[in-house]
Amino acid sequence: MVEFTTANRIILGAGTSADLPQLVAEIGEAAFLVVSAGAAARGDAAARCAERLLDGGNIVGQVAVRGEPEVAAVETAAALARMAGCDCVVAIGGGSVIDTGKAIAALAVNTAGALDYMEAVGAGRKLERPALPVIAVPTTAGAGSEATRNAVIRSAQHKAKASIRDLSLLPRLALVDPELSMDVPASVTAACGMDALTQLIEAFVGRRANPLTDGLCREGLRLAARSIRQVVTTPNLQSRSDLATAALLSGMALANAGLGAVHGIAAPLGGVADVPHGAICAALLAPITAS
């Protein structure tokens, strides 16, 4: 048997983020906004997208994310979202921002703390109530979080990263606009691109691979292979679009076929080392691809 799930609605294309205020209004009347602190400081395309949304008038609270989501930080943000009475969460940023948004969406309407729902290091409880609707707007091309059902959170107590996982965490809307990634620094682009490439390879060769995910991986690998070098050295909208699509496909594939040894090792390493996740994946993938 093959089962396939993904985001409820996916919009992909340059310039599509201009419609975000209207799209959010169609989903909720009181949105909680999660953004990247780095993007806000740079005032880049992602920050301007968030500003347009703030001007739309239905944002009731917001938080800026710096680094990977931590247990205490997501619990604090979820409490803010709960007090604000939000009915959906909009996450504009990279994988860490989107994972933070998903965690907020889950914890804002459930009764326990993050560790109660986290796998491996926590109790692994199921959510009592479905998470709030999530609108995911990726600004980097890597994790594919806009198409997955989990929120990866770091536990400093356990020196590890683990997931809250639930079907309701699949975004209600994934809006992928490659124009939002045009200002992303080369080092971040490289790390994120290697994460997407690793996910495509692992989902393609894994034991749970199936005809649906194989097609996604083949196309994603083709796009990543032709764009990943250019998007770091001399980026243009075409290479940004290629990698954004590849990252989206990697998220869709991994959500249904799973990952492999590289991410199995990268997760605990990421819990103890302050190193970008994609850089860890690239280092672990290198001897495999060379052999």
Side-chain angles (χ1 to χ4, degrees):
M1 183 187 81
V2 174
E3 180 181 355
F4 187 89
T5 57
T6 192
N8 182 261
R9 183 183 182 189
I10 297 173
I11 298 175
L12 168 65
T16 53
S17 60
D19 298 326
L20 186 59
Q22 176 185 341
L23 292 166
V24 171
E26 293 172 1
I27 293 173
E29 297 179 352
F32 191 84
L33 178 61
V34 186
V35 297
S36 163
R42 291 191 300 268
D44 60 15
R48 294 192 294 274
C49 176
E51 289 170 2
R52 287 196 300 271
L53 190 57
L54 286 165
D55 291 340
N58 65 335
I59 301 299
V60 297
Q62 63 175 309
V63 65
V65 175
R66 189 179 301 277
E68 295 184 337
E70 298 270 0
V71 168
V74 297
E75 289 178 343
T76 299
L80 293 174
R82 190 182 306 116
M83 288 187 292
C86 69
D87 57 13
C88 65
V89 176
V90 185
I92 304 174
S96 294
V97 173
I98 295 175
D99 280 347
T100 300
K102 290 181 183 177
I104 292 169
L107 298 178
V109 291
N110 281 281
T111 59
L115 282 169
D116 291 287
Y117 303 112
M118 288 169 63
E119 303 168 341
V121 300
R125 284 170 47 183
K126 298 294 184 183
L127 299 181
E128 293 89 7
R129 298 183 61 191
L132 294 172
V134 174
I135 297 96
V137 185
T139 61
T140 60
S145 300
E146 66 272 16
T148 66
R149 67 185 77 183
N150 61 306
V152 180
I153 303 170
R154 185 175 180 177
S155 170
Q157 173 188 348
H158 299 90
K159 296 183 178 180
K161 295 194 297 184
S163 290
I164 298 176
R165 193 180 307 271
D166 193 84
L167 277 174
S168 66
L169 290 176
L170 282 165
R172 181 73 60 87
L173 170 65
L175 191 152
V176 184
D177 181 351
E179 289 186 356
L180 298 181
S181 67
M182 292 297 292
D183 301 322
V184 174
S187 59
V188 177
T189 299
C192 291
M194 289 306 299
D195 188 19
L197 179 62
T198 304
Q199 290 171 171
L200 288 163
I201 294 172
E202 289 186 301
F204 191 48
V205 302
R207 293 182 177 180
R208 291 170 52 200
N210 61 68
L212 297 176
T213 58
D214 281 352
L216 298 173
C217 291
R218 286 191 183 96
E219 178 63 9
L221 287 167
R222 183 184 72 83
L223 292 171
R226 80 180 189 188
S227 64
I228 195 165
R229 187 181 298 274
Q230 181 179 10
V231 82
V232 174
T233 57
T234 54
N236 56 27
L237 184 57
Q238 183 59 59
S239 60
R240 293 285 189 184
S241 297
D242 283 351
L243 201 58
T245 304
L248 170 65
L249 295 176
S250 79
M252 296 170 70
L254 77 86
N256 292 278
L259 292 170
V262 170
H263 272 81
I265 299 170
L269 286 179
V272 298
D274 187 19
V275 178
H277 173 69
I280 295 174
C281 289
L284 294 170
L285 186 65
I288 298 174
T289 54
S291 59

